[in-house]
Amino acid sequence: MTDSAVEQSVQDDLHDDVAAPAERMRPRVVLGVSGGIAAYKSCELLRRFTESGHDVTVVPTAAALEFVGAPTWAALSGKPVATDVWTGVEQVPHVRIGQSADLVVVAPATADLIAKAAHGLADDLLTNTLLTARCPIVFAPAMHTEMWEHPATVTNVATLRERGVLVIEPAEGRLTGKDTGKGRLPEPAEIFDVCLDVLSRGATGPDLAGRQVVVSAGGTREYLDPVRFLGNRSSGLQGYALARTAAARGAEVTLVAANVTLPDPAGVKVVSVSTTAELRDAVVSAAASADAVVMAAAPADFRPTAVSGDKIKKAADGSAPAIELVQNPDILKEISHTRAHPGQVIVGFAAETGDDTGSVLELARAKLARKGCDVLVVNDVSGGAVFGSPENEAVILATDGSATQVARGTKASLAHAIWDQVARRLT
Ligand SMILES: Cc1cc2nc3c(=O)[nH]c(=O)nc-3n(C[C@H](O)[C@H](O)[C@H](O)COP(=O)(O)O)c2cc1C
């Protein structure tokens, strides 16, 4: 593309909102890319946005173009890209791009870009865009551990978070060279999910910023011998949705995951466990400093009295072994009755089926009182409809006597309804 063609195309983009009302319905995303080795991963992020109907303007820094060239961003977004404020200047892109955005996401965000944003510098198109945007802003930092932990970066990240910017915690793993540590860009699919979440909530802002929350997910296993276990059908999808949405609302999240095979949500610390005893220890330890704990995991109520060290063999006479069970500790009851601090909010889940003794809601109200938690999310699991499904519906019971019906929808929407309840109690 010639310079004048680029300029014309930039102008066309800037006229989009007046020219095509249908186009305007598409959420406008600005994808800022700064000069880190992970810039190539943002190509996948860009693809996810465009393929799901978003209108994306890529604004790379000059350093970002050292890693991935302008033609790649232009071809994938269907729009020209500029790094400076002088291209198509009569349309004042340094102001218009930020002003008309519904979301700005910077991935990867370098230490340098974070520092510039924290100090309000505006020496290229991306930093100008960050100053003119009034929509939600998400940063996905990626850098070496030393850079991430440097006091300058720590202060800059804190400044951005105080201003309402959602800064996703980097992942741990392989970095640019042979070294590993914290500083890796979370997977594009995970960043994308966070962005969708932020977009769906609009300008509500990260209302859980500065809060530490613990979420448990999955189902525990109780071993009979080295190869067999008693388990349950919990997939972990609801717990992972809770962790992802809490992170998208700015919380520092510890996710205690029991036997879940889903990818780690972006910016979330994942602690993997298997048995109920392990789940209990991990939750109790993380809850000590938490503002809220949401127990979405399904712990096994019983475990075998003894675990055989060897695989249990079939008996020659065709008889089956008798398995004696003991009750497991009640984690929800324990953490509700021994709260780390008085204002801590505890949320439990009740997967109920009605029986002769009462309806689903009657049994759930009794459970809320028995467990001592603040909020109980009640699923009617008659027929096993919830397990592994991307959708859920529930009634959220609280100790103030309220019962909030959450209509069938995504597990993320139920997660938000639960965090709304938590956020209300935390303030
Ligand atoms: C090979 C290579 C990889 C780099 N990776 C990163 C990185 O992952 N994160 C980071 O903060 N800086 C990284 N840098 C340094 C930045 O490119 C440098 O600070 C640059 O000035 C950033 O410019 P920008 O913030 O305007 O994009 C890397 C540099 C090189 C040469």
Side-chain angles (χ1 to χ4, degrees), residues 34-37 61 63-64 67 110-113 116 142-143 147 176:
S34 53
I37 196 85
T61 64
F67 294 91
T110 57
D112 174 65
L113 201 275
K116 282 180 174 170
M143 63 196 74
M147 294 172 91
T176 309

Side-chain angles (χ1 to χ4, degrees), residues 30-75:
V30 173
L31 173 59
V33 185
S34 53
I37 196 85
Y40 73 94
K41 288 191 182 174
S42 278
C43 298
E44 189 193 328
L45 182 58
L46 170 56
R47 262 245 126 91
R48 284 179 183 266
F49 277 121
T50 53
E51 285 177 5
S52 53
H54 296 79
D55 172 355
V56 191
T57 303
V58 182
V59 184
T61 64
L65 296 187
E66 296 287 334
F67 294 91
V68 178
T72 302
W73 301 118

Side-chain angles (χ1 to χ4, degrees), residues 302-320:
F302 310 101
R303 68 177 186 279
T305 321
V307 183
S308 169
D310 305 314
K311 186 180 170 199
I312 300 167
K313 309 288 185 301
K314 278 186 185 172
D317 64 2
S319 65

Side-chain angles (χ1 to χ4, degrees), residues 164-180:
V165 173
L166 177 61
V167 183
I168 301 174
E169 285 290 305
E172 290 194 26
R174 185 84 187 269
L175 302 172
T176 309
K178 289 183 180 158
D179 39 359
T180 58

